Amino acid sequence: MSEIRRDNKGRKLATGESQDKDGRYRYKYNDSCGKRKSVYSWRLTESDPYPKGKRKDISLREKEKVIEKALSDAVSTNGGDMTVLELVQRYISQKRGVKHNTQANYNFVINVIKKEEFGAKRIDTIKLSDAKAWLIKLQDDGRGYSSIHSIRGVVRPAFQMAVDDDLIRKNPFEFQLATVVVNDSVTREAITRKQQREFLRFIKEDKHFCKYYDGIYILFYTGLRVSEFVGLTINDIEFDKERIKVDHQLQRTRNMKYEILTPKTEKGERYVPMQKDVADCFRTIIQNRKHPKIEPMIDGYSGFLFLDKNDMPMVALHWEKYFQHIREKYNSIYKVQMPCITPHVCRHTFCSNMAKSGMNPKTLQYIMGHSDIGVTLNTYTHLQFEDALEEMKKVVG
């Protein structure tokens, strides 16, 4: 029969418990990987007083309960010896069929983590406060809110994978980002109808920029995403049915590779109604379209409406630059400055104008290609008192 071990106070010690000569208690156990581990405390139970001059800590038996719970849940107490960088790399390696922009974002996040001390830390050592402190550091280092949002958007599900794999117990990134870092991003607001008319007038009357008038008019009056807009081909403009077929988008990667992708969201495939003035713009574009010796073909698509000087399809960057140069010229002439206008601002302006005109939210969701009605409804929150007053008069009157 084995001898019952006791501490210096005569208390019976359980299996794995012992007391060192200096009075400190020790608990030995095997973790879920079979490795021999030990934890220590100057107190055996929670009711024991703290020894004078010793660091305050939870008692040995409190630590035993934590370990027992972890082992019962089959959670590895060493996080698999995996660093934050290794975890994120494993998470990304399991993603298949991602779009170019998504892959570019993954690469951005990996490069950021590689430069951070945080990336070399073991995942089982990361606490909630550590995760928050790291994101605050990123903002203090000059990272914008949108960049931090993107980084957390990858790191959080990576840590959730570690939780699901029983490597850690809790996800330290499960918190609202806005409660930790300041949202200093500039919201792309819709411009007013007056600003829209003035912007289009300026383009139409300008000798150089007038060639972009029809395209910009279409962006303002269809709400198309710019990647959908540049991907349009002659066959996508169905004049007889008064609609625009949207079933793909065109993008160009950093290595100048053109590719056709499915629309951004699952609701992205749709038909966008085409009013007469928009149809007239398309007719003008098709009539004035370049006729290259060799028609460019991207992933089986040809007949793109807009071609650059190299007879290749224009991409989003072309139009973003056109908008920038137009605004710069406008503001160099007029005292009343035009706000920042981009292709996305055109889309947001269209959505806001339709909401102000009383369009049914579900109808607007379909036209915009929003997968979530909440995205569409957010536009209605931008309406002003005058809009509410006008709508009230319609309902009451």
Side-chain angles (χ1 to χ4, degrees):
M1 188 173 178
S2 60
E3 180 182 353
I4 297 176
R5 289 176 295 110
R6 298 179 182 275
D7 67 359
N8 56 18
K9 295 181 180 179
R11 293 178 296 187
K12 187 188 298 185
L13 296 175
T15 302
E17 293 178 346
S18 62
Q19 188 175 30
D20 297 341
K21 291 181 179 181
D22 60 0
R24 188 173 63 162
Y25 291 95
R26 179 202 304 256
Y27 175 67
K28 294 182 179 179
Y29 67 98
N30 291 327
D31 68 13
S32 60
C33 296
K35 293 183 180 179
R36 194 67 171 166
K37 296 292 182 74
S38 296
V39 292
Y40 303 87
S41 178
W42 290 102
R43 299 184 302 148
L44 179 64
T45 67
E46 189 177 359
S47 60
D48 288 350
Y50 288 101
K52 188 175 181 181
K54 302 299 181 182
R55 183 175 63 88
K56 290 188 177 182
D57 191 13
I58 63 174
S59 68
L60 189 72
R61 288 184 175 167
E62 287 176 287
K63 291 184 178 183
E64 289 175 35
K65 288 181 181 178
V66 173
I67 293 169
E68 288 170 4
K69 186 170 188 342
L71 292 175
S72 68
D73 291 344
V75 176
S76 171
T77 56
N78 66 356
D81 291 326
M82 189 180 297
T83 66
V84 174
L85 176 60
E86 290 169 340
L87 175 65
V88 174
Q89 288 175 327
R90 175 188 282 190
Y91 169 73
I92 291 175
S93 71
Q94 296 180 6
K95 297 294 181 180
R96 291 292 182 271
V98 298
K99 294 180 180 178
H100 166 70
N101 286 353
T102 303
Q103 187 59 54
N105 183 59
Y106 286 157
N107 294 340
F108 162 74
V109 173
I110 288 293
N111 289 333
V112 170
I113 295 175
K114 281 181 177 178
K115 298 174 184 176
E116 293 287 325
E117 290 183 10
F118 186 83
K121 291 186 176 182
R122 277 178 28 170
I123 61 175
D124 63 317
T125 67
I126 305 298
K127 302 181 180 64
L128 176 66
S129 58
D130 298 324
K132 290 182 177 181
W134 180 53
L135 297 185
I136 292 171
K137 175 188 176 296
L138 290 178
Q139 188 163 60
D140 290 342
D141 288 346
R143 299 279 181 188
Y145 182 86
S146 59
S147 294
I148 298 172
H149 185 274
S150 296
I151 293 167
R152 177 173 172 271
V154 176
V155 176
R156 180 169 66 173
F159 268 86
Q160 187 57 47
M161 181 183 73
V163 173
D164 296 339
D165 286 347
D166 293 331
L167 294 177
I168 56 176
R169 178 177 301 284
K170 291 182 179 180
N171 187 342
F173 283 89
E174 284 295 337
F175 53 82
Q176 292 294 321
L177 183 61
T179 63
V180 178
V181 296
V182 178
N183 187 351
D184 56 0
S185 57
V186 178
T187 304
R188 291 169 175 167
E189 296 290 348
I191 60 174
T192 65
R193 293 180 190 268
K194 182 179 179 181
Q195 288 171 327
Q196 178 180 323
R197 288 193 301 269
E198 181 62 18
F199 191 65
L200 287 170
R201 179 203 62 76
F202 176 76
I203 297 169
K204 191 173 186 178
E205 295 176 358
D206 187 89
K207 291 182 179 180
H208 175 70
F209 293 122
C210 61
K211 57 187 173 183
Y212 306 123
Y213 173 81
D214 294 295
I216 294 175
Y217 188 96
I218 290 168
L219 286 169
F220 268 121
Y221 285 93
T222 61
L224 289 170
R225 297 181 177 92
V226 66
S227 57
E228 298 168 342
F229 172 69
V230 296
L232 291 176
T233 67
I234 295 174
N235 292 332
D236 294 323
I237 315 306
E238 301 180 359
F239 291 105
D240 57 333
K241 296 180 180 178
E242 300 180 326
R243 67 187 189 183
I244 307 163
K245 182 172 69 175
V246 181
D247 63 358
H248 64 278
Q249 56 176 325
L250 173 68
Q251 291 189 2
R252 188 176 67 187
T253 64
R254 290 183 178 179
N255 58 5
M256 303 301 286
K257 178 187 176 184
Y258 292 80
E259 56 184 14
I260 294 292
L261 303 173
T262 56
K264 184 179 179 181
T265 68
E266 59 182 19
K267 298 290 186 181
E269 288 196 23
R270 63 201 188 279
Y271 288 100
V272 175
M274 180 169 54
Q275 299 297 315
K276 182 181 181 303
D277 50 352
V278 172
D280 290 341
C281 287
F282 276 119
R283 289 191 177 93
T284 301
I285 290 168
I286 294 172
Q287 183 180 346
N288 297 333
R289 180 182 179 272
K290 294 172 65 177
H291 295 285
K293 292 181 179 180
I294 301 176
E295 191 71 47
M297 180 170 287
I298 312 295
D299 296 336
Y301 285 81
S302 63
F304 295 96
L305 297 181
F306 307 98
L307 303 179
D308 62 18
K309 61 182 180 181
N310 298 316
D311 290 339
M312 290 299 291
M314 288 185 183
V315 293
L317 183 61
H318 287 97
W319 289 93
E320 287 165 359
K321 288 296 183 181
Y322 300 153
F323 274 84
Q324 177 188 340
H325 296 153
I326 292 168
R327 175 175 170 267
E328 287 174 352
K329 185 173 182 179
Y330 181 96
N331 287 343
S332 69
I333 297 172
Y334 296 99
K335 185 178 293 186
V336 178
Q337 302 286 282
M338 190 66 69
C340 181
I341 303 176
T342 65
H344 189 77
V345 168
C346 291
R347 175 172 164 82
H348 191 62
T349 298
F350 169 82
C351 192
S352 292
N353 288 342
M354 293 301 100
K356 289 178 180 180
S357 298
M359 180 176 283
N360 182 286
K362 293 298 290 184
T363 302
L364 186 53
Q365 178 192 6
Y366 169 79
I367 294 175
M368 298 297 292
H370 289 152
S371 60
D372 183 0
I373 185 64
V375 178
T376 313
L377 289 174
N378 282 341
T379 302
Y380 288 80
T381 65
H382 297 166
L383 304 184
Q384 305 299 318
F385 169 75
E386 291 76 13
D387 305 306
L389 179 61
E390 185 176 344
E391 187 70 16
M392 194 87 163
K393 287 179 179 179
K394 287 180 183 177
V395 173
V396 176

